[in-house]
Amino acid sequence: MELKNIDNKMHLEFMSKSTNEGFARAVVAAFAAQLDPTLEELADIKTAVSEGVTNAIIHGYGTSAGTVHIDGEISGKTLVIIITDYGKGIDDLSQAVQPLFTSAPEMERSGMGFTVMETFMDSMDVESTPGVGTTVRLSKTIGKNH
């Protein structure tokens, strides 16, 4: 979802270390707070961001060092979060978005990351090129359900 009239935007980048997942959640939550979300909406956003960042770190980079980028845009009451890695990409995107599929079973991954993101946000779009990286675009309109 491309926002036409952007009221505010932000960009964040950090090393692909699992210790930065909480940092990413906090920054996105602080950015989203200007929309005055309910606690449930804020929890949904934070959960989706956690899954997206974790996917970028674990599946995008694995044991390699890399950078995770998060862009946020607000237009009206709609929040769009774009999480990008320049890691290994996804070989079979249609398979990867299926519930319970994981490319890291040895790490006891549940394979529910994309399903969780899709469930907690209004929309999710994933673009990936093997050897180039992955971009996950999440959007949520605040106040839609109350």
Side-chain angles (χ1 to χ4, degrees):
M1 171 183 208
E2 289 282 328
L3 297 180
K4 293 189 183 345
N5 298 317
I6 297 174
D7 295 323
N8 201 358
K9 65 181 180 175
M10 67 110 190
H11 176 78
L12 174 69
E13 58 183 75
F14 50 90
M15 289 182 69
S16 60
K17 295 177 173 254
S18 60
T19 54
N20 286 331
E21 181 268 331
F23 169 66
R25 279 172 58 108
V27 170
V28 172
F31 183 69
Q34 64 193 288
L35 293 173
D36 196 25
T38 64
L39 289 176
E40 182 180 355
E41 289 169 328
L42 196 55
D44 290 353
I45 293 163
K46 289 166 68 174
T47 299
V49 167
S50 289
E51 292 296 331
V53 168
T54 298
N55 276 0
I57 293 168
I58 292 174
H59 301 291
Y61 292 113
T63 57
S64 306
T67 304
V68 177
H69 299 261
I70 299 180
D71 290 285
E73 299 174 350
I74 291 174
S75 179
K77 296 297 270 177
T78 300
L79 171 71
V80 174
I81 300 297
I82 303 155
I83 303 167
T84 304
D85 70 69
Y86 297 99
K88 61 184 178 181
I90 300 170
D91 290 325
D92 185 343
L93 190 54
S94 62
Q95 182 183 40
V97 298
Q98 294 301 310
L100 305 178
F101 175 80
T102 181
S103 64
E106 71 283 356
M107 297 179 72
E108 298 183 17
R109 306 301 301 168
S110 70
M112 294 298 288
F114 286 126
T115 302
V116 168
M117 287 183 267
E118 199 167 36
T119 300
F120 286 106
M121 301 296 279
D122 294 337
S123 70
M124 176 190 77
D125 181 55
V126 183
E127 295 176 15
S128 189
T129 303
V132 177
T134 302
T135 297
V136 177
R137 182 180 306 271
L138 305 166
S139 72
K140 187 171 195 73
T141 299
I142 302 303
K144 189 170 82 172
N145 297 324
H146 53 96

